[in-house]
Amino acid sequence: AVFRELLLKEEGFNNDKAIDDEFFRERIAGRQNALIMDDFFPRWSVSKRESWSVRKEERFREMAANSLMERKMPGLDRLRTWIDEQNLHKVAVTNAPRLNAEAMLSGIEYDSWFGRDGLIIGDECEKAKPDPCPYLKACEILNDNVKAEECIVFEDSPSGAKAGVAAGASLVVGILSGQTEMTMKNVGCSLTISD
């Protein structure tokens, strides 16, 4: 919604038409802001692209503040219970900016479950997803320096699923919250789930 709102204000972008879900899935979902902005506005200065991204992220947090809990995936609490019962370690790995990631985790009351060290931000790694670096960094911070092949990755974007596969995760599960099953299987997900 935020990208639709703000991109529509950019004269000439997408022939002055609002972006649709397919456009979002194919060109935005799961990608770093810097790459998106470089693709969309290659003639803009880096500082102008960064400024636009900051405005977009501020707007996202405004819009999401009151709706995150109701948008939480129904299966997430069941998965959390299972992880806790099995005494498994967990890390949230995202290409979202830190402020957004923290706001999202707090908004669904999962911030303390992951803790500060249980959050890996793509922009804070040497390379972001689709590179495996964020997932490999997550393995490093887990107790006993867990190997990627001992991990299960849950991803809702093609770039994230590619990163999980490239890292060598034993299983990459595609969450069909915005992508099609075919898209997620084509990037290496062994399994897909709806929630």
Side-chain angles (χ1 to χ4, degrees), residues 163-189:
V165 170
S170 64
L171 178 65
V172 178
V173 179
I175 303 169
L176 304 179
S177 58
Q179 300 292 333
T180 66
E181 182 173 18
M182 181 182 289
T183 297
M184 297 306 278
K185 293 246 178 172
N186 285 345
V187 295
C189 292

Side-chain angles (χ1 to χ4, degrees), residues 90-92 98 114-120 137-138 141-142:
K90 66 274 181 192
V91 177
R98 179 167 290 281
F114 281 106
R116 174 126 177 110
D117 293 333
L119 178 60
I120 301 294
K137 185 173 180 179
I141 69 166
L142 289 171

